[in-house]
Amino acid sequence: MSLSCDSSKNDKSSILSESSMHQDLPTAAANTIASSPIIDSAMSLEQALDGSAAPESITSQLILLDVLYYSFDGLLHQGQLLINKQIKDDIIAVFDTIRQNKFPIARAIPIAHYQWNDNLSMAANNSSSFCYRTIEGTNRLSHHASGNAIDINPLLNPLVWKEPYQDRPNQPQGAIYDINIEGTLHAQHIVVRELQKRGFLWGRNFQRYYDNHHFQKNIPAISS
């Protein structure tokens, strides 16, 4: 399985000049944090969208959200998620839960940093949201293509195939799912429960595979 967000260039000037797109700063709890976070990502919205072939009908729905989290070094970090504005309040609340419980996030960097290559992003254990691509093997756009899905620590929460496909490799390749490892999600985990409470479907419940890092929320369709 090779997942790549569409990296073909279209007319960026028509996409990036839209006044309806804006960078959303900061998170709700940022002013309550006294220590200065380590900056994992400090992109502009233009940089976060650079190279995407998504149409304006989708990019106009996106915001760039700064998120605070503790990483595996035990220190406070600041990353960014490019998300659909309709899930902004959900993501702020989820990252409040993540930070308050010191659930470690390796990094959160818009996937443009990885040349729109989902495999590279997953291999780096990068948590991300928007990625304009179809679901593999179909012509249907992924929930990531409208920014209403989020992947969390994918290297620790890989996609694992169910029977009768269990001989297929995990994604990212070589990753192992072990709920005893810090940064891993499971059914009773407080982060999973917070996302589900907010209407997100956990990819672990998909039919053909356990997509352990993936959460998606149904929002009004955006035509492409």
Side-chain angles (χ1 to χ4, degrees):
M1 180 189 297
S2 179
L3 299 178
S4 179
C5 309
D6 194 339
S7 60
S8 60
K9 305 274 185 176
N10 58 0
D11 185 357
K12 290 185 289 183
S13 62
S14 64
I15 293 178
L16 302 179
S17 62
E18 295 297 322
S19 60
S20 58
M21 296 189 299
H22 62 283
Q23 184 170 347
D24 196 279
L25 298 171
T27 61
N31 291 332
T32 69
I33 304 297
S35 57
S36 297
I38 296 169
I39 305 301
D40 291 338
S41 180
M43 290 186 181
S44 66
L45 186 59
E46 287 85 357
Q47 290 170 326
L49 282 168
D50 187 28
S52 173
E56 189 274 337
S57 61
I58 288 179
T59 59
S60 64
Q61 299 292 315
L62 301 176
I63 59 172
L64 186 59
L65 185 70
D66 282 8
V67 290
L68 292 169
Y69 48 85
Y70 288 93
S71 194
F72 289 88
D73 57 8
L75 300 176
L76 187 68
H77 288 238
Q78 179 176 297
Q80 294 176 304
L81 291 171
L82 187 59
I83 62 170
N84 192 294
K85 60 187 177 184
Q86 296 187 67
I87 65 168
K88 171 189 169 183
D89 290 344
D90 295 319
I91 297 304
I92 288 175
V94 168
F95 269 82
D96 282 347
T97 296
I98 285 172
R99 188 183 62 261
Q100 290 165 7
N101 289 274
K102 293 193 174 181
F103 174 74
I105 297 292
R107 56 185 53 81
I109 306 173
I111 206 165
H113 177 76
Y114 299 95
Q115 296 78 52
W116 300 100
N117 188 313
D118 195 45
N119 290 326
L120 292 178
S121 178
M122 288 193 298
N125 206 20
N126 182 52
S127 297
S128 65
S129 177
F130 173 74
C131 184
Y132 189 71
R133 61 174 175 83
T134 58
I135 300 171
E136 191 196 11
T138 76
N139 294 320
R140 293 182 291 117
L141 287 175
S142 163
H143 279 73
H144 286 288
S146 54
N148 63 313
I150 183 172
D151 292 345
I152 298 176
N153 289 345
L155 189 63
L156 297 175
N157 299 285
L159 182 154
V160 179
W161 290 90
K162 299 180 180 181
E163 294 184 355
Y165 311 105
Q166 66 269 28
D167 290 337
R168 298 181 182 182
N170 293 351
Q171 295 294 330
Q173 291 197 31
I176 297 173
Y177 181 61
D178 182 351
I179 63 172
N180 296 309
I181 296 176
E182 191 177 28
T184 303
L185 300 166
H186 55 79
Q188 298 306 315
H189 198 285
I190 190 169
V191 175
V192 173
R193 295 174 74 173
E194 179 67 24
L195 281 156
Q196 291 177 327
K197 180 180 76 174
R198 293 181 168 277
F200 283 79
L201 171 68
W202 189 17
R204 184 168 178 82
N205 298 315
F206 288 166
Q207 183 175 359
R208 293 195 305 160
Y209 44 73
Y210 304 104
D211 201 348
N212 292 299
H213 55 260
H214 177 90
F215 298 85
Q216 65 186 48
K217 186 171 186 178
N218 290 327
I219 60 176
I222 301 171
S223 62
S224 58

